[in-house]
Amino acid sequence: MNMAGFTVLYLGPRSGTCLDRANALRRIGCNVEHLDLRSLLPRQRWVDRWAWHVGGHWFSPLIVKGLARWLGHKRFHLCHVDGGEWVTPAVLRVLRGHTELVVNYNIDDPTGPRDGARFTAYRQSAALYDLLAVVREDNVAELNALGANNIVRVYRSADEVTHAPRPLTTSLQLAWMSEVLFLGSWFPERGPFLRDLIRLGVPLTIRGPNWHKAPEWPELKSHWAGGAIGGSEYALAIQCARVNLGLISHENRDLHTTRSLEIPSLGGLLCAERTHEHLAMYEEGVEALFWSGAEECATTCLHALADESRRARIAQAGRERFLRDDHRNEAVMRSLLEAVEERVE
């Protein structure tokens, strides 16, 4: 598919991995206009709280009105919806007047139990997209039951630019150095797990938001190094950790996460929960380290810390496997464009 001159309307937040994917489309030759539908709504915080807990579909009339005004007479070859919690059938009808194709890519669990109300609009609209891309096998059957038969399952990806290794100076290494790092948000199941690692003697550093909510906070507090970070700070934290933990969310039905790709992309050693998807992505003990439960995780981390040459060798092999399998944004974005082209021919 020739991307030169291919125009894309990209709907999603102008931050994080969503922005990375929009930029990946630009790098492969597409002309991209990026709109965050949230910007069409009042800025008050209650809007976000309502959308998260009750569903963004309640704001459909405001989105329809604001989107129609923003689009004017613009035309695009394709609209790429990242997430889709605001996109109801009424919003899709507006989009169809300005684009030939509409695809959706969702790295969350839009048909699962954790964020159910948040993705009501997504489920209402699922059968109306030209292509749906999901990262869980569970989603495929559940979307079929909603009338969608235009589904591809993909792995998550890391970004060629955002998750490229940074040059490291001695001062940067000293500033960001850690032994065993977990970089991510607090979830209820993560507090007891990280507390157990600490009790088992793991020299743990925690970075990420909302950890003060953990009932285990009194034991975790001295290991917490700060809240959410992004960009080069995120990259440096992973690069300068000797071991990087990859925790999945069982409530979100994860079998791998974006960290599963971002850590090896940055040259870090991935030490993650043993799942069949992780085992398919990396050879255990050669390209990554895996565990089941806190005791095995602690033992695995301590052994890795005690053997620096083995640790470095596995990290390097993991990065080479990641590059060989090409779990990168440009490859994924190109594959989705090719998939939708095939399905509409």
Side-chain angles (χ1 to χ4, degrees):
M1 184 178 185
N2 184 7
M3 309 299 175
F6 195 81
T7 56
V8 177
L9 170 61
Y10 200 98
L11 300 183
R14 299 178 64 88
S15 60
T17 62
C18 180
L19 179 59
D20 286 340
R21 289 185 286 273
N23 286 334
L25 283 172
R26 292 186 174 100
R27 292 195 301 267
I28 64 175
C30 296
N31 296 324
V32 177
E33 286 199 47
H34 193 158
L35 172 66
D36 184 354
L37 292 179
R38 174 65 182 87
S39 69
L40 302 177
L41 298 172
R43 294 184 178 182
Q44 286 89 342
R45 297 174 106 184
W46 69 266
V47 173
D48 301 290
R49 290 196 293 269
W50 181 276
W52 186 272
H53 295 291
V54 186
H57 60 292
W58 290 98
F59 298 96
S60 185
L62 288 176
I63 293 284
V64 165
K65 184 178 180 180
L67 180 62
R69 186 186 308 115
W70 185 90
L71 284 167
H73 298 290
K74 296 179 181 179
R75 291 286 306 174
F76 302 89
H77 292 113
L78 178 140
C79 175
H80 180 111
V81 178
D82 197 303
E85 60 265 46
W86 308 103
V87 181
T88 60
V91 172
L92 276 173
R93 282 194 292 272
V94 174
L95 292 172
R96 291 291 182 186
H98 298 266
T99 184
E100 300 168 21
L101 302 167
V102 187
V103 303
N104 183 292
Y105 177 85
N106 194 312
I107 64 169
D108 289 298
D109 189 5
T111 56
R114 193 187 75 174
D115 300 332
R118 175 189 172 198
F119 286 110
T120 298
Y122 175 97
R123 294 191 297 274
Q124 292 173 344
S125 304
L128 304 177
Y129 284 98
D130 295 293
L131 186 75
L132 294 168
V134 294
V135 298
R136 293 167 183 78
E137 287 293 343
D138 292 328
N139 295 144
V140 176
E142 290 160 356
L143 287 168
N144 284 153
L146 292 173
N149 57 11
N150 47 353
I151 308 159
V152 293
R153 190 279 163 106
V154 299
Y155 281 97
R156 293 173 173 88
S157 51
D159 191 70
E160 291 83 349
V161 175
T162 301
H163 305 118
R166 270 59 170 175
L168 293 178
T169 63
T170 300
S171 61
L172 285 173
Q173 289 176 314
L174 290 173
W176 291 98
M177 181 178 63
S178 61
E179 297 294 303
V180 177
L181 173 67
F182 175 67
L183 178 51
S185 302
W186 169 76
F187 289 128
E189 72 270 19
R190 291 176 173 174
F193 179 82
L194 295 187
R195 177 204 60 202
D196 290 347
L197 292 188
I198 293 167
R199 290 178 177 179
L200 290 163
V202 174
L204 181 67
T205 297
I206 303 169
R207 291 184 180 274
N210 298 322
W211 283 95
H212 64 282
K213 296 180 180 180
E216 302 78 18
W217 179 241
E219 288 186 72
L220 301 177
K221 184 177 181 179
S222 63
H223 296 263
W224 186 70
I229 53 176
S232 288
E233 289 188 336
Y234 175 93
L236 290 166
I238 289 174
Q239 278 186 256
C240 296
R242 296 176 70 195
V243 177
N244 287 275
L245 293 180
L247 305 188
I248 63 175
S249 169
H250 294 276
E251 192 179 10
N252 213 33
R253 302 190 296 181
D254 289 336
L255 292 173
H256 77 284
T257 70
T258 53
R259 301 286 191 279
S260 307
L261 293 316
E262 293 166 357
I263 290 168
S265 176
L266 285 159
L269 173 61
L270 175 65
C271 184
E273 185 166 348
R274 187 180 291 109
T275 69
H276 74 264
E277 289 187 3
H278 276 150
L279 291 169
M281 295 163 74
Y282 305 104
E283 184 177 351
E284 182 168 2
V286 176
E287 298 166 336
L289 299 175
F290 300 129
W291 43 266
S292 298
E295 288 193 10
E296 187 182 8
C297 180
T299 300
T300 300
C301 288
L302 294 173
H303 284 172
L305 294 175
D307 190 340
E308 183 63 20
S309 62
R310 175 174 176 263
R311 187 208 66 76
R313 187 169 61 250
I314 294 172
Q316 178 61 29
R319 185 164 197 275
E320 291 172 358
R321 175 65 180 273
F322 162 78
L323 293 173
R324 187 164 65 250
D325 290 348
D326 207 8
H327 291 300
R328 292 182 287 183
N329 281 339
E330 291 176 26
V332 172
M333 294 296 101
R334 186 177 285 107
S335 72
L336 295 185
L337 293 177
E338 292 171 351
V340 73
E341 184 182 45
E342 290 175 4
R343 286 166 184 261
V344 299
E345 283 182 347

